[in-house]
Structure formats: C-alpha cells, structure tokens
Amino acid sequence: MESINRVVVGVSGASGAVLAVQVLELLSQNPSIETHLVISNAARQTLAHEVGPLAVTALLEMSDYIYDIGAIGAKIASGSFQVSGMIVVPCSMRTLSAIACGNTDNLLTRAADVQLKERRKLVLLARETPLHLGHLRNMVSVTEMGAIVMPPVPGFYQKPQDVSEIVHHISARAIDLLGLPLRQFARPWDGGAREVVSSATAALR
Ligand SMILES: Cc1cc2nc3c(=O)[nH]c(=O)nc-3n(C[C@H](O)[C@H](O)[C@H](O)COP(=O)(O)O)c2cc1C
C-alpha cells in the first residue's frame, strides 16, 4: 500500500485564486495525498471575486482537513505533525513578507514557518506585478531559508489553448516542486526543436 503524503495548502489573498482550486483538484484526485487547507480572510474575498461565490465551498469540499486561519493551535502549527510540505497558492506580498520575517501572525504563516524550521518543502506562488525592492528582498530571504518561490507565470512554450490550460500547467508544476514520491503531475517539455525541424522539413516538400 502506498504511504500517505500530507500536503498543507495555504491560500492567501493574491490574484490567481483559481490556481488554488486547480491545485486542490489535482491533489484530491490522488488517494495517496492527504490535504490540509487553510485560507486567509483576504483569500475568501479574492476567491469569491475571481472564481465565484461557491469557490470557498468547493475548496473545502476537496480538502481532507480544514483549519480556521486563527486556529494557531492546530496540528499543522506544530513541527511534530509530519507533512511532506506546503504550497501557498497564490501567495500575496503580505503573506510573503510575513514568512520572510518569521511573523507567524496566523495559521497560514505559522504553518509556512514550520516547514522552514523543519527543513521541509515550501512552495510559494508569489503573485504581484510590478515588484518593488521590498518584494524582491523578501523573495531572496525566503529562498535563503529554503523556500521555493514560483511566480505563477505562464509557460507559453507549451502553446496553451486557453486559460484553463495555463492554470493547469502552473498548478501541476507547483505540485511537482513538492517532490512527492509520485508520478509527475505536469506534462514535461518534449523538445520544441523537433516540431520546428519537422515543420521546416514539411515546408521544403
Ligand atoms: C481582487 C484582489 C486582488 C488582489 N491581488 C493581489 C495580488 O496579486 N498580490 C498581492 O500581494 N495582493 C493582492 N491583493 C491584496 C491582498 O489581498 C491584501 O494585501 C491582503 O491583506 C493580503 O492578506 P493575506 O496575505 O493575509 O491573504 C488583492 C486584493 C484583492 C481584493
């Protein structure tokens, strides 16, 4: 029997709330993954605004365990609770800054801090544009502490047909960064050079 991989999913109030829905959908499809969800108060607003009034309910239904943002005594606030890692999707600049400073003012930032202190994976889909020096410095700080900063930027080399393909690809890449002992979620790059060569060859015919 496959062992259970516990993953903490933190959702903060940056734009890109749909990424949280997609990440949880992908994780919930794998029975060997147990999800622990915490949503910030601002994220409840962005989810409703960007995805719709039922977005929060959908997230709660797809998660195995749900925690209140103020529940700083919850299991995921302790390093003794073994988890494989945590994704913050999307990660606002406020939450990034709190993590960078070790300011564990709510359960989301406390759980992120726990990943760092326990030397576990922490993937931050940090989203803002443009970025000021403080944002960049916070990204450097969390990277120095062991987190992975993955801004949710589309990879156009995959030639996405619509927004849902972009959302799927970013979400799958983020999950892959957790390094779970599972099959890769994202479709790997298959070498665009071959396509270019074959179309060039076709043009010569
Ligand atoms: C519709 C909407 C979009 C937002 N987009 C961003 C964003 O992309 N990045 C960001 O850092 N903050 C964004 N914010 C502001 C954050 O929600 C705000 O700073 C909040 O305090 C973050 O709190 P949290 O980190 O606890 O979720 C947005 C707010 C709203 C209402």
Side-chain angles (χ1 to χ4, degrees), residues 11-16 40-43 45-46 49-50 91-96 106 108 127-129 135:
V11 185
S12 69
S15 188
S40 78
N41 292 328
Q45 287 186 44
T46 50
H49 179 73
E50 295 185 350
C91 181
S92 73
M93 293 303 106
R94 194 210 72 79
T95 288
L96 171 73
N106 64 38
L108 195 164
R127 197 274 158 196
E128 187 50 278
T129 192
H135 297 147

mmCIF file of all heavy atoms in Angstrom, residues 11-16 40-43 45-46 49-50 91-96 106 108 127-129 135, ligand 1:
data_model
loop_
_atom_site.group_PDB
_atom_site.id
_atom_site.type_symbol
_atom_site.label_atom_id
_atom_site.label_comp_id
_atom_site.label_asym_id
_atom_site.label_seq_id
_atom_site.Cartn_x
_atom_site.Cartn_y
_atom_site.Cartn_z
ATOM 1 N N VAL A 11 -3.944 29.276 1.208
ATOM 2 C CA VAL A 11 -4.471 30.155 0.152
ATOM 3 C C VAL A 11 -4.503 31.569 0.715
ATOM 4 O O VAL A 11 -5.192 31.824 1.708
ATOM 5 C CB VAL A 11 -5.887 29.719 -0.293
ATOM 6 C CG1 VAL A 11 -6.354 30.568 -1.472
ATOM 7 C CG2 VAL A 11 -5.911 28.229 -0.653
ATOM 8 N N SER A 12 -3.746 32.478 0.102
ATOM 9 C CA SER A 12 -3.759 33.861 0.569
ATOM 10 C C SER A 12 -4.370 34.760 -0.501
ATOM 11 O O SER A 12 -4.717 34.305 -1.592
ATOM 12 C CB SER A 12 -2.347 34.319 0.975
ATOM 13 O OG SER A 12 -1.522 34.424 -0.155
ATOM 14 N N GLY A 13 -4.481 36.060 -0.167
ATOM 15 C CA GLY A 13 -5.333 36.940 -0.966
ATOM 16 C C GLY A 13 -4.690 37.630 -2.140
ATOM 17 O O GLY A 13 -4.985 38.799 -2.398
ATOM 18 N N ALA A 14 -3.825 36.922 -2.878
ATOM 19 C CA ALA A 14 -3.308 37.492 -4.130
ATOM 20 C C ALA A 14 -4.226 37.106 -5.269
ATOM 21 O O ALA A 14 -5.035 36.173 -5.150
ATOM 22 C CB ALA A 14 -1.896 36.993 -4.398
ATOM 23 N N SER A 15 -4.081 37.783 -6.377
ATOM 24 C CA SER A 15 -4.821 37.393 -7.569
ATOM 25 C C SER A 15 -4.336 36.002 -8.019
ATOM 26 O O SER A 15 -3.194 35.619 -7.754
ATOM 27 C CB SER A 15 -4.575 38.427 -8.677
ATOM 28 O OG SER A 15 -5.408 38.165 -9.762
ATOM 29 N N GLY A 16 -5.223 35.268 -8.675
ATOM 30 C CA GLY A 16 -4.867 33.899 -9.078
ATOM 31 C C GLY A 16 -5.537 32.865 -8.200
ATOM 32 O O GLY A 16 -5.040 31.745 -8.053
ATOM 33 N N SER A 40 -6.742 32.388 4.047
ATOM 34 C CA SER A 40 -6.721 33.683 4.753
ATOM 35 C C SER A 40 -8.043 34.418 4.528
ATOM 36 O O SER A 40 -8.794 34.112 3.600
ATOM 37 C CB SER A 40 -5.547 34.548 4.253
ATOM 38 O OG SER A 40 -5.863 35.134 3.005
ATOM 39 N N ASN A 41 -8.279 35.418 5.342
ATOM 40 C CA ASN A 41 -9.531 36.187 5.203
ATOM 41 C C ASN A 41 -9.568 36.919 3.863
ATOM 42 O O ASN A 41 -10.613 36.974 3.204
ATOM 43 C CB ASN A 41 -9.663 37.180 6.365
ATOM 44 C CG ASN A 41 -9.884 36.446 7.679
ATOM 45 O OD1 ASN A 41 -10.492 35.377 7.705
ATOM 46 N ND2 ASN A 41 -9.367 37.001 8.769
ATOM 47 N N ALA A 42 -8.422 37.465 3.452
ATOM 48 C CA ALA A 42 -8.387 38.163 2.159
ATOM 49 C C ALA A 42 -8.648 37.179 1.019
ATOM 50 O O ALA A 42 -9.294 37.532 0.027
ATOM 51 C CB ALA A 42 -7.034 38.846 1.976
ATOM 52 N N ALA A 43 -8.148 35.950 1.157
ATOM 53 C CA ALA A 43 -8.353 34.955 0.091
ATOM 54 C C ALA A 43 -9.828 34.607 -0.079
ATOM 55 O O ALA A 43 -10.273 34.288 -1.187
ATOM 56 C CB ALA A 43 -7.537 33.698 0.393
ATOM 57 N N GLN A 45 -12.129 36.679 0.002
ATOM 58 C CA GLN A 45 -12.629 37.736 -0.887
ATOM 59 C C GLN A 45 -12.177 37.515 -2.329
ATOM 60 O O GLN A 45 -12.964 37.648 -3.268
ATOM 61 C CB GLN A 45 -12.110 39.097 -0.425
ATOM 62 C CG GLN A 45 -12.760 39.614 0.842
ATOM 63 C CD GLN A 45 -12.294 41.033 1.167
ATOM 64 O OE1 GLN A 45 -12.205 41.886 0.304
ATOM 65 N NE2 GLN A 45 -11.987 41.265 2.430
ATOM 66 N N THR A 46 -10.892 37.201 -2.518
ATOM 67 C CA THR A 46 -10.392 37.035 -3.895
ATOM 68 C C THR A 46 -11.015 35.805 -4.554
ATOM 69 O O THR A 46 -11.308 35.812 -5.742
ATOM 70 C CB THR A 46 -8.851 36.945 -3.924
ATOM 71 O OG1 THR A 46 -8.432 35.982 -2.965
ATOM 72 C CG2 THR A 46 -8.203 38.274 -3.618
ATOM 73 N N HIS A 49 -14.442 36.875 -5.570
ATOM 74 C CA HIS A 49 -14.390 37.865 -6.650
ATOM 75 C C HIS A 49 -13.930 37.249 -7.972
ATOM 76 O O HIS A 49 -14.509 37.503 -9.027
ATOM 77 C CB HIS A 49 -13.446 38.995 -6.246
ATOM 78 C CG HIS A 49 -13.293 40.059 -7.291
ATOM 79 N ND1 HIS A 49 -14.281 40.969 -7.560
ATOM 80 C CD2 HIS A 49 -12.275 40.323 -8.158
ATOM 81 C CE1 HIS A 49 -13.875 41.770 -8.545
ATOM 82 N NE2 HIS A 49 -12.670 41.391 -8.920
ATOM 83 N N GLU A 50 -12.882 36.418 -7.924
ATOM 84 C CA GLU A 50 -12.262 35.926 -9.167
ATOM 85 C C GLU A 50 -12.857 34.611 -9.659
ATOM 86 O O GLU A 50 -12.847 34.338 -10.852
ATOM 87 C CB GLU A 50 -10.753 35.751 -8.967
ATOM 88 C CG GLU A 50 -10.016 37.068 -8.706
ATOM 89 C CD GLU A 50 -8.503 36.895 -8.620
ATOM 90 O OE1 GLU A 50 -8.020 35.740 -8.575
ATOM 91 O OE2 GLU A 50 -7.809 37.923 -8.591
ATOM 92 N N CYS A 91 0.292 33.262 -3.351
ATOM 93 C CA CYS A 91 0.936 33.849 -2.168
ATOM 94 C C CYS A 91 0.987 35.370 -2.328
ATOM 95 O O CYS A 91 1.641 35.879 -3.240
ATOM 96 C CB CYS A 91 2.341 33.273 -2.005
ATOM 97 S SG CYS A 91 3.206 33.919 -0.566
ATOM 98 N N SER A 92 0.276 36.083 -1.464
ATOM 99 C CA SER A 92 0.264 37.553 -1.526
ATOM 100 C C SER A 92 1.594 38.105 -1.011
ATOM 101 O O SER A 92 2.349 37.416 -0.315
ATOM 102 C CB SER A 92 -0.878 38.098 -0.667
ATOM 103 O OG SER A 92 -0.537 37.935 0.698
ATOM 104 N N MET A 93 1.849 39.347 -1.325
ATOM 105 C CA MET A 93 3.067 40.002 -0.842
ATOM 106 C C MET A 93 3.028 40.179 0.674
ATOM 107 O O MET A 93 4.057 40.167 1.330
ATOM 108 C CB MET A 93 3.257 41.351 -1.543
ATOM 109 C CG MET A 93 3.556 41.236 -3.023
ATOM 110 S SD MET A 93 5.023 40.244 -3.405
ATOM 111 C CE MET A 93 4.300 38.737 -4.043
ATOM 112 N N ARG A 94 1.823 40.311 1.233
ATOM 113 C CA ARG A 94 1.715 40.411 2.700
ATOM 114 C C ARG A 94 2.138 39.092 3.346
ATOM 115 O O ARG A 94 2.932 39.071 4.289
ATOM 116 C CB ARG A 94 0.279 40.750 3.112
ATOM 117 C CG ARG A 94 0.155 41.210 4.568
ATOM 118 C CD ARG A 94 -1.172 40.860 5.185
ATOM 119 N NE ARG A 94 -1.280 39.433 5.434
ATOM 120 C CZ ARG A 94 -0.724 38.801 6.461
ATOM 121 N NH1 ARG A 94 -0.014 39.457 7.360
ATOM 122 N NH2 ARG A 94 -0.861 37.492 6.613
ATOM 123 N N THR A 95 1.620 37.993 2.809
ATOM 124 C CA THR A 95 1.970 36.686 3.372
ATOM 125 C C THR A 95 3.445 36.374 3.123
ATOM 126 O O THR A 95 4.145 35.854 4.010
ATOM 127 C CB THR A 95 1.035 35.601 2.777
ATOM 128 O OG1 THR A 95 -0.272 35.788 3.353
ATOM 129 C CG2 THR A 95 1.509 34.208 3.097
ATOM 130 N N LEU A 96 3.943 36.707 1.928
ATOM 131 C CA LEU A 96 5.370 36.515 1.632
ATOM 132 C C LEU A 96 6.225 37.265 2.652
ATOM 133 O O LEU A 96 7.190 36.714 3.199
ATOM 134 C CB LEU A 96 5.682 37.035 0.216
ATOM 135 C CG LEU A 96 7.162 37.098 -0.149
ATOM 136 C CD1 LEU A 96 7.738 35.703 -0.384
ATOM 137 C CD2 LEU A 96 7.386 37.969 -1.383
ATOM 138 N N ASN A 106 -0.726 34.278 11.807
ATOM 139 C CA ASN A 106 -1.935 33.464 11.617
ATOM 140 C C ASN A 106 -1.521 32.026 11.306
ATOM 141 O O ASN A 106 -0.316 31.736 11.187
ATOM 142 C CB ASN A 106 -2.851 34.070 10.530
ATOM 143 C CG ASN A 106 -2.207 34.087 9.152
ATOM 144 O OD1 ASN A 106 -1.495 33.161 8.776
ATOM 145 N ND2 ASN A 106 -2.466 35.141 8.393
ATOM 146 N N LEU A 108 -1.744 30.232 8.639
ATOM 147 C CA LEU A 108 -1.073 30.032 7.347
ATOM 148 C C LEU A 108 0.422 30.355 7.460
ATOM 149 O O LEU A 108 1.269 29.544 7.072
ATOM 150 C CB LEU A 108 -1.744 30.913 6.284
ATOM 151 C CG LEU A 108 -1.435 30.608 4.810
ATOM 152 C CD1 LEU A 108 -2.464 31.278 3.907
ATOM 153 C CD2 LEU A 108 -0.035 30.999 4.396
ATOM 154 N N ARG A 127 2.586 36.255 -6.048
ATOM 155 C CA ARG A 127 1.990 36.981 -7.172
ATOM 156 C C ARG A 127 1.801 38.467 -6.868
ATOM 157 O O ARG A 127 1.060 38.835 -5.966
ATOM 158 C CB ARG A 127 0.641 36.334 -7.531
ATOM 159 C CG ARG A 127 0.122 36.726 -8.902
ATOM 160 C CD ARG A 127 -0.652 38.022 -8.850
ATOM 161 N NE ARG A 127 -0.700 38.632 -10.157
ATOM 162 C CZ ARG A 127 -1.044 39.904 -10.366
ATOM 163 N NH1 ARG A 127 -1.345 40.700 -9.370
ATOM 164 N NH2 ARG A 127 -1.063 40.392 -11.577
ATOM 165 N N GLU A 128 2.486 39.282 -7.629
ATOM 166 C CA GLU A 128 2.284 40.735 -7.670
ATOM 167 C C GLU A 128 3.012 41.225 -8.898
ATOM 168 O O GLU A 128 3.951 40.562 -9.372
ATOM 169 C CB GLU A 128 2.842 41.405 -6.399
ATOM 170 C CG GLU A 128 2.539 42.888 -6.272
ATOM 171 C CD GLU A 128 1.076 43.239 -6.488
ATOM 172 O OE1 GLU A 128 0.655 43.367 -7.654
ATOM 173 O OE2 GLU A 128 0.344 43.385 -5.491
ATOM 174 N N THR A 129 2.574 42.330 -9.444
ATOM 175 C CA THR A 129 3.310 42.923 -10.550
ATOM 176 C C THR A 129 2.951 44.386 -10.687
ATOM 177 O O THR A 129 1.773 44.722 -10.531
ATOM 178 C CB THR A 129 3.048 42.157 -11.869
ATOM 179 O OG1 THR A 129 4.002 42.592 -12.851
ATOM 180 C CG2 THR A 129 1.646 42.369 -12.409
ATOM 181 N N HIS A 135 9.598 43.568 -2.120
ATOM 182 C CA HIS A 135 9.085 42.263 -2.554
ATOM 183 C C HIS A 135 10.249 41.352 -2.948
ATOM 184 O O HIS A 135 10.301 40.178 -2.557
ATOM 185 C CB HIS A 135 8.173 42.426 -3.785
ATOM 186 C CG HIS A 135 6.941 43.241 -3.558
ATOM 187 N ND1 HIS A 135 6.392 44.025 -4.537
ATOM 188 C CD2 HIS A 135 6.147 43.382 -2.472
ATOM 189 C CE1 HIS A 135 5.305 44.623 -4.079
ATOM 190 N NE2 HIS A 135 5.138 44.250 -2.822
HETATM 191 C C1 LIG B 1 -9.179 41.319 -6.074
HETATM 192 C C2 LIG B 1 -7.916 41.460 -5.287
HETATM 193 C C3 LIG B 1 -6.715 41.114 -5.870
HETATM 194 C C4 LIG B 1 -5.525 41.234 -5.166
HETATM 195 N N1 LIG B 1 -4.361 40.846 -5.769
HETATM 196 C C5 LIG B 1 -3.203 40.874 -5.073
HETATM 197 C C6 LIG B 1 -2.008 40.373 -5.673
HETATM 198 O O1 LIG B 1 -1.977 39.921 -6.808
HETATM 199 N N2 LIG B 1 -0.903 40.348 -4.913
HETATM 200 C C7 LIG B 1 -0.884 40.811 -3.611
HETATM 201 O O2 LIG B 1 0.153 40.744 -2.974
HETATM 202 N N3 LIG B 1 -2.010 41.306 -3.031
HETATM 203 C C8 LIG B 1 -3.163 41.343 -3.721
HETATM 204 N N4 LIG B 1 -4.312 41.810 -3.142
HETATM 205 C C9 LIG B 1 -4.230 42.439 -1.804
HETATM 206 C C10 LIG B 1 -4.222 41.409 -0.681
HETATM 207 O O3 LIG B 1 -5.435 40.672 -0.678
HETATM 208 C C11 LIG B 1 -4.037 42.133 0.649
HETATM 209 O O4 LIG B 1 -2.735 42.669 0.728
HETATM 210 C C12 LIG B 1 -4.302 41.262 1.854
HETATM 211 O O5 LIG B 1 -4.056 41.998 3.020
HETATM 212 C C13 LIG B 1 -3.460 40.000 1.862
HETATM 213 O O6 LIG B 1 -3.734 39.300 3.046
HETATM 214 P P1 LIG B 1 -3.251 37.785 3.234
HETATM 215 O O7 LIG B 1 -1.794 37.754 2.895
HETATM 216 O O8 LIG B 1 -3.499 37.504 4.659
HETATM 217 O O9 LIG B 1 -4.065 36.933 2.348
HETATM 218 C C14 LIG B 1 -5.521 41.717 -3.840
HETATM 219 C C15 LIG B 1 -6.741 42.055 -3.244
HETATM 220 C C16 LIG B 1 -7.921 41.926 -3.955
HETATM 221 C C17 LIG B 1 -9.214 42.282 -3.286
#
